[in-house]
Amino acid sequence: MSIGERIRRYRNDVDMTQRELAEEVGLTESAIRNYERDIRTPGDEQIERIAEALDVSADSIREVGVSGARGALEVLFRFERVLGLKPVATDAGVAVAPDPSRPGSQKAVQALNAWKRMRDLLESGEISEGEYEAWKARYRG
């Protein structure tokens, strides 16, 4: 999903028009339309303002740059360096877990626990797919 598609999705989730979003963030309606159609790409400052207006994390709008298994692995390599995540063997296969001896791993533990709690609620039927997706977009860790 592109940046523009994510902006449109989150804007629609809060029942906001392009004009309303534009007014909220100090841009033109045309700018929002061009972002949503992927004609133009918003800069970091615009992404921050749009995310704030839509009450989502700016990271949920930004491009992550993952393409296939190798791209996902690169993200995990970076998480290893930044958050102290490491591969671990489990009965179900290989998983990723924080290394408690590494600086920054406590934040990773908190984030993974929050994700697990929400995923469990989804799988038990206590929350809907839409509520789960909204939580992911708004999670700021």
Side-chain angles (χ1 to χ4, degrees), residues 20-37:
E20 290 167 336
L21 178 57
E23 289 172 359
E24 180 82 19
V25 299
L27 296 169
T28 64
E29 184 177 356
S30 174
I32 298 297
R33 184 172 33 261
N34 286 337
Y35 294 157
E36 289 187 2
R37 294 175 67 201

Side-chain angles (χ1 to χ4, degrees), residues 34-120:
N34 286 337
Y35 294 157
E36 289 187 2
R37 294 175 67 201
D38 293 314
I39 294 170
R40 298 201 53 193
T41 302
D44 282 337
E45 183 180 327
Q46 287 83 15
I47 288 174
E48 291 287 338
R49 292 191 335 237
I50 290 168
E52 185 176 328
L54 298 174
D55 191 28
V56 298
S57 163
D59 288 335
S60 69
I61 294 175
R62 287 188 179 98
E63 283 296 335
V64 175
V66 176
S67 175
R70 178 57 181 90
L73 192 57
E74 181 61 35
V75 170
L76 292 172
F77 291 158
R78 292 177 189 188
F79 287 163
E80 176 184 30
R81 188 170 41 256
V82 175
L83 299 173
L85 296 183
K86 64 180 184 177
V88 295
T90 70
D91 291 340
V94 177
V96 177
D99 177 351
S101 68
R102 295 276 306 270
S105 67
Q106 295 76 19
K107 283 193 173 197
V109 168
Q110 291 171 346
L112 289 169
N113 281 330
W115 181 24
K116 170 87 171 83
R117 279 191 305 275
M118 294 306 289
R119 186 72 198 179
D120 288 348

